[in-house]
Amino acid sequence: MFSWLNRFQGLGALVMRLVLGIIMVRYGYTKIIPSGALYMFSHNVGHMHLPVWLGYVAAFTEFFGGMLLIVGLLTRIAAFMTAIDMAVAIIKVHLHGGLMGPSSFAFPLACFAIALMLVFTGCGWLGLDDFVGGRGSRRAKVVSR
């Protein structure tokens, strides 16, 4: 009955990719760009009994991974790294806040779910993943016939 919607799966992936990318760039920006923010964030990560260098990895994953998601380049890798980032955020920061409330894990969980979905679906429509590389995409092959 709703099988006609299958042709719009690429649009759904595009929307998820853009939304998650914008969110990640926004949160990554506040951890990298202001003077001293990256140092402060990475040392806050160290206070959570994690290596300080993981703070740098998390900040760069959010900022540059978000940019990659927006343009649709290396989407599955960027989404996988974002899913790991969100899983750590849920476990180390937000889990004690419960599902609802001011420090809840509902938002990071939603970002985790979107990232995981992008790992499995790919970039969707208008992503550079379709045009970069030797193989190309199925859509590109159909158009070229």
Side-chain angles (χ1 to χ4, degrees), residues 103-133:
S103 183
S104 71
F105 62 85
F107 183 67
L109 183 62
C111 290
F112 173 80
I114 293 171
L116 201 59
M117 189 65 188
L118 287 171
V119 169
F120 296 128
T121 62
C123 70
W125 291 353
L126 303 175
L128 292 180
D129 283 346
D130 286 341
F131 305 106
V132 175

Side-chain angles (χ1 to χ4, degrees), residues 48-119:
M48 290 186 280
H49 306 292
L50 293 170
V52 172
W53 62 269
L54 280 180
Y56 292 98
V57 171
F60 290 134
T61 295
E62 290 179 15
F63 188 68
F64 295 111
M67 287 184 182
L68 289 173
L69 288 172
I70 289 171
V71 298
L73 183 62
L74 303 172
T75 302
R76 292 176 194 259
I77 296 168
F80 182 70
M81 296 297 290
T82 301
I84 292 170
D85 185 44
M86 291 295 101
V88 171
I90 291 168
I91 292 168
K92 290 301 238 178
V93 179
H94 298 281
L95 194 60
H96 71 279
L99 187 58
M100 301 299 287
S103 183
S104 71
F105 62 85
F107 183 67
L109 183 62
C111 290
F112 173 80
I114 293 171
L116 201 59
M117 189 65 188
L118 287 171
V119 169

